[in-house]
Amino acid sequence: MPLKQHLFLIGPMGAGKSTIGRSLSDDLNCNLVDLDRVIEDRAGASITWIFDIEGESGFRERESLALEHVVGDESTIIATGGGCVLLAENRNVLKRSGLVVYLAASIDQQLERTSKDKNRPLLQTENPSQVLSKMAIERNPLYESVADLVVDTNTKPPKLIIQEIMNFLQDPN
Ligand code: S3P
């Protein structure tokens, strides 16, 4: 099924955006663009380096520019970073450039999926659970505000999540 518009995957760190994105890209036979990788490619540096040298604000600027850049390309699946919804300008880009699927995940689920990962600077702290909880309070309403579809990833196997998204794509309205 060719995509008529971009399909954005949004949601917090560890919600499975990249994993679900990869399966969807196989099933739909279209590219997956991982916004974090685009940011790194354009910067010629890792996310960790960008946060170290430029801080979160520098990263957010690069994230907005990368988002603007990728929506100009042909319709595809775009997995965004967890903080992509923070800026109103990004939320507007998401809303006007395609369909937005919010992969929702509990804090426990996120912790389990991110615990061994050293490449998420915001979680390199004593208490990642507290950081994720604070983020959820701020960000969950923002994810919801732009989502065309919300999928609870906590209890469903990836296959079911994919099926739910495929069904939605058949009939988005
Ligand atoms: C971030 C999430 C990360 C990455 C960066 C900041 C966030 O992406 O963009 O470390 O603010 O939640 P993932 O959601 O793909 O881990």
Side-chain angles (χ1 to χ4, degrees):
M1 177 173 41
L3 282 179
K4 295 194 193 89
Q5 49 190 329
H6 293 303
L7 174 64
F8 296 102
L9 299 176
I10 65 166
M13 292 183 264
K17 296 169 301 230
S18 304
T19 311
I20 298 297
R22 273 193 294 274
S23 298
L24 276 173
S25 106
D26 285 346
D27 290 359
L28 291 166
N29 196 20
C30 66
N31 280 339
L32 168 68
V33 173
D34 190 318
L35 199 61
D36 282 344
R37 299 294 81 76
V38 175
I39 296 167
E40 291 186 324
D41 288 349
R42 285 165 59 95
S46 70
I47 303 274
T48 305
W49 186 94
I50 298 169
F51 269 83
D52 275 354
I53 304 297
E54 301 180 350
E56 182 169 349
S57 62
F59 175 78
R60 295 295 166 215
E61 264 176 49
R62 289 183 182 276
E63 188 174 45
S64 290
L65 290 171
L67 181 64
E68 281 285 1
H69 176 77
V70 298
V71 297
D73 291 340
E74 69 174 27
S75 296
T76 190
I77 304 167
I78 301 172
T80 61
C84 190
V85 293
L86 285 171
L87 294 178
E89 64 186 81
N90 293 355
R91 297 199 294 278
N92 290 334
V93 171
L94 295 172
K95 285 263 26 136
R96 68 158 192 263
S97 311
L99 294 169
V100 183
V101 174
Y102 167 24
L103 300 178
S106 68
I107 305 296
D108 283 349
Q109 192 68 263
Q110 288 179 254
L111 281 171
E112 206 180 298
R113 295 200 187 124
T114 56
S115 63
K116 291 190 187 73
D117 192 340
K118 297 271 172 280
N119 298 318
R120 290 181 169 102
L122 296 173
L123 296 186
Q124 305 314 305
T125 129
E126 291 273 283
N127 195 341
S129 171
Q130 196 178 54
V131 171
L132 288 171
S133 301
K134 272 196 182 158
M135 283 179 174
I137 291 169
E138 182 187 10
R139 297 176 177 187
N140 289 0
L142 303 178
Y143 296 132
E144 273 157 31
S145 75
V146 292
D148 296 297
L149 173 73
V150 181
V151 185
D152 179 357
T153 68
N154 294 304
T155 50
K156 289 177 201 131
K159 242 183 150 177
L160 260 186
I161 298 172
I162 305 289
Q163 195 52 57
E164 212 171 310
I165 298 173
M166 293 294 243
N167 291 346
F168 165 71
L169 289 176
Q170 300 276 1
D171 186 14
N173 304 309

